[in-house]
Amino acid sequence: MPPKLERPAPPYQQIATEIRTRISSGELQAGDLVPSVRSLMRDYGVAIATAQRALSTLRAEGYVKPERGVGSIVTTEEERGRAANDRVDNSRRTGKIYPTGSYAKITEAAMIEASEQVADALGLKPGAPVIRRVRTTYRSDDKPASASTSYYRGHLAEKAPLLLSAERIKEGTFAYIANILKREVDAWQDQFEPASATAEQAERLGLDEGALIMVGRNWIYDDTGEVLEYGESVTFGRVTYRGRLGDSPTASRVDT
């Protein structure tokens, strides 16, 4: 019989959890192939986007890595430990590291009704009040390099009023929220995929409509498992992460 999915966890999370369990139990060893996107689609009866998101989640967590010409394989315990440390280190960073001369402007900070996607990301009902902060990052030549929007639960407006100010928060938004709620920033997850720029995205970045861009979604979690911040971003050009073996990347997402 094919595997069955249970509610209420989203299907991609259930798939990722099952593969993660098989790795933790030793059923899947370092270097073993994990099911491909096509296999996950067939075995679980899910769409390609769901299968891809499950594997992306496992890659972000450090459980699997791509192997050229083969597929995704299980990482070693050392690699998983290093990835876990990187996630914690990055989640504790405050402020965004920009290339020399680059800067960001916050263009909006307002209360709005959550779209279906934003509500799902924050664990709310569609239409629930959320705080939206919009920013554009510029290169040293004053041309836009990326645009991003962050969302927060609406009830935070009273406890964390700076979220509704179009000014940068010195310690970073999620650190600001965590301090107020007396919680710890515990983990993060980023997802990126290529896309063609819509008319609105092209205008924000000074591109032609249809230009190739990278669309990102990211989550910052606290130690209770709650999403402190959910973000959506668009960027273009080459994105580079640099560091030394065993160290965290030299730059990580967060400004506000």
Side-chain angles (χ1 to χ4, degrees), residues 3-255:
K4 293 184 178 180
L5 298 176
E6 302 293 338
R7 298 289 187 248
Y12 83 91
Q13 288 185 1
Q14 295 181 50
I15 296 171
T17 296
E18 180 167 318
I19 295 175
R20 194 185 302 114
T21 300
R22 292 174 64 190
I23 293 172
S24 299
S25 69
E27 180 183 345
L28 288 173
Q29 298 284 330
D32 286 350
L33 276 172
V34 297
S36 65
V37 169
R38 189 178 298 275
S39 294
L40 294 177
M41 292 171 62
R42 180 188 65 243
D43 294 343
Y44 290 91
V46 296
I48 185 172
T50 299
Q52 289 174 331
R53 190 172 180 184
L55 288 180
S56 295
T57 297
L58 292 168
R59 284 196 294 270
E61 294 173 345
Y63 281 91
V64 305
K65 65 181 180 181
E67 185 75 8
R68 187 173 182 179
V70 176
S72 293
I73 63 172
V74 179
T75 55
T76 64
E77 288 188 12
E78 181 181 355
E79 288 172 319
R80 291 196 288 277
R82 188 160 61 239
N85 289 336
D86 285 350
R87 288 197 299 275
V88 173
D89 289 343
N90 282 329
S91 68
R92 289 175 177 166
R93 291 176 183 266
T94 58
K96 182 170 181 176
I97 300 174
Y98 297 109
T100 302
S102 296
Y103 60 96
K105 288 183 178 180
I106 298 171
T107 57
E108 178 188 330
M111 189 80 76
I112 65 165
E113 293 184 356
S115 67
E116 189 170 328
Q117 178 165 288
V118 170
D120 179 67
L122 289 173
L124 303 172
K125 292 183 178 180
V130 294
I131 299 168
R132 178 173 66 188
R133 288 173 66 86
V134 181
R135 78 185 64 77
T136 300
T137 302
Y138 296 87
R139 302 195 304 255
S140 57
D141 59 4
D142 296 327
K143 292 183 179 179
S146 66
S148 57
T149 305
S150 296
Y151 298 90
Y152 313 87
R153 296 168 184 264
H155 72 81
L156 291 171
E158 184 175 350
K159 295 181 178 179
L162 292 182
L163 292 176
L164 284 170
S165 169
E167 298 291 335
R168 184 171 181 179
I169 298 174
K170 184 177 180 180
E171 66 268 40
T173 46
F174 61 76
Y176 168 63
I177 297 168
N179 288 337
I180 287 175
L181 299 179
K182 301 187 184 306
R183 298 178 186 175
E184 295 289 333
V185 179
D186 184 64
W188 59 267
Q189 177 175 311
D190 288 345
Q191 296 177 348
F192 296 95
E193 58 185 37
S196 297
T198 64
E200 180 182 357
Q201 291 167 336
E203 182 178 359
R204 289 185 69 183
L205 294 175
L207 302 173
D208 293 329
E209 185 174 352
L212 180 64
I213 59 173
M214 291 294 291
V215 176
R217 301 179 69 198
N218 51 73
W219 294 257
I220 303 293
Y221 300 90
D222 66 21
D223 52 354
T224 71
E226 184 173 291
V227 178
L228 288 177
E229 174 182 313
Y230 165 67
E232 299 174 346
S233 63
V234 291
T235 189
F236 68 98
R238 179 176 298 171
V239 178
T240 300
Y241 293 92
R242 180 179 299 170
R244 297 181 183 277
L245 290 176
D247 290 342
S248 301
T250 57
S252 65
R253 190 209 69 75
V254 90
D255 139 60

